[in-house]
Amino acid sequence: MIREAIVTTVNAAAAVHIAPLGLIADGEEWIIAPFRPSTTLDNLRAVPFAVANYTDDVRVFAGCLTGRTDWPTMASDLVPVPRLAGVLAHAELAVVRVTEDEQRPRFHCRVVRLVQHAPFGGFNRAQAAVIEAAILTSRLHMLPPEKIESELAYLEIAISKTAGPAELEAWDWLMEKMREYRAAPKG
Ligand SMILES: Cc1cc2nc3c(=O)[nH]c(=O)nc-3n(C[C@H](O)[C@H](O)[C@H](O)COP(=O)(O)O)c2cc1C
């Protein structure tokens, strides 16, 4: 089982990096598995702690993929990595071991602190659609154009039926990136 979260990490100079990543459930632990090359990967090697930020503000997911990475952060309680402000919950993570891999090393993490800040407000199809579209836009160069277009057309139904202002803004950011991709010369 995988949970999509916003993962914060820091480099040796304590500069924060924010990236959406899927956390893989492994009993009581979570596995962070960044593909090489990745700032998250470099940071986890330099400072073996992370925060999993659980948010229903899907603008953070869409923003990180469209160059909007300046989201407010604040100090965590037990780890030297800031968390995102305004999230529903966050888990402070300590790397306990690493499974090395050529493509995708796996950082096994123990939860050292889990805090809920606001209640879960129920499912929203547009939020799920934005997350799917964000994943699509992170894989544009790997997918056939027809698949991208047909998936976006399906996801757009949930957007038009169920989105609020935040979901519409996030969707617009991703569609702007899609337009740029369609207009760019291929090859
Ligand atoms: C919902 C979602 C889940 C993602 N999960 C992963 C992941 O598990 N591993 C990964 O390498 N990239 C994942 N990505 C793509 C990363 O967010 C993106 O490539 C990011 O730039 C990571 O590289 P960085 O640490 O250099 O920023 C995901 C993207 C989205 C939108």
Side-chain angles (χ1 to χ4, degrees), residues 56-68 71 124 126-127 129-131 133-134 137 156 158-160 162-179:
D56 61 356
D57 185 348
V58 289
R59 293 176 307 169
V60 188
F61 288 85
C64 286
L65 293 190
T66 56
R68 298 165 174 90
W71 300 96
N124 171 248
Q127 289 170 357
V130 167
I131 296 201
T137 57
E156 208 275 329
I159 297 293
S160 60
T162 72
E167 292 74 30
L168 286 176
E169 189 172 21
W171 183 259
D172 285 349
W173 292 345
L174 294 171
M175 292 311 105
E176 183 185 38
K177 183 163 174 172
M178 277 304 307
R179 282 192 294 277

Side-chain angles (χ1 to χ4, degrees), residues 30-62:
W30 292 103
I31 298 169
I32 303 175
F35 286 97
R36 289 180 204 267
S38 141
T39 305
T40 302
L41 193 158
D42 296 343
N43 286 357
L44 286 171
R45 292 217 193 274
V47 181
F49 297 94
V51 177
N53 298 275
Y54 301 120
T55 182
D56 61 356
D57 185 348
V58 289
R59 293 176 307 169
V60 188
F61 288 85

Side-chain angles (χ1 to χ4, degrees), residues 86-163:
V87 297
L88 299 180
H90 82 276
E92 299 180 18
L93 306 174
V95 177
V96 287
R97 66 186 183 284
V98 184
T99 310
E100 293 299 344
D101 184 81
E102 277 295 303
Q103 266 196 324
R104 200 179 183 191
R106 292 159 73 92
F107 294 80
H108 299 254
C109 299
R110 186 167 61 84
V111 179
V112 295
R113 184 157 170 76
L114 176 63
V115 189
Q116 183 170 3
H117 307 284
F120 171 59
F123 294 107
N124 171 248
R125 291 174 58 204
Q127 289 170 357
V130 167
I131 296 201
E132 291 301 324
I135 292 172
L136 274 179
T137 57
S138 76
R139 297 181 183 163
L140 288 178
H141 299 282
M142 293 177 240
L143 296 171
E146 322 77 69
K147 181 174 167 66
I148 296 170
E149 299 302 337
S150 68
E151 296 214 357
L152 287 178
Y154 177 70
L155 294 171
E156 208 275 329
I157 299 169
I159 297 293
S160 60
K161 286 186 175 167
T162 72

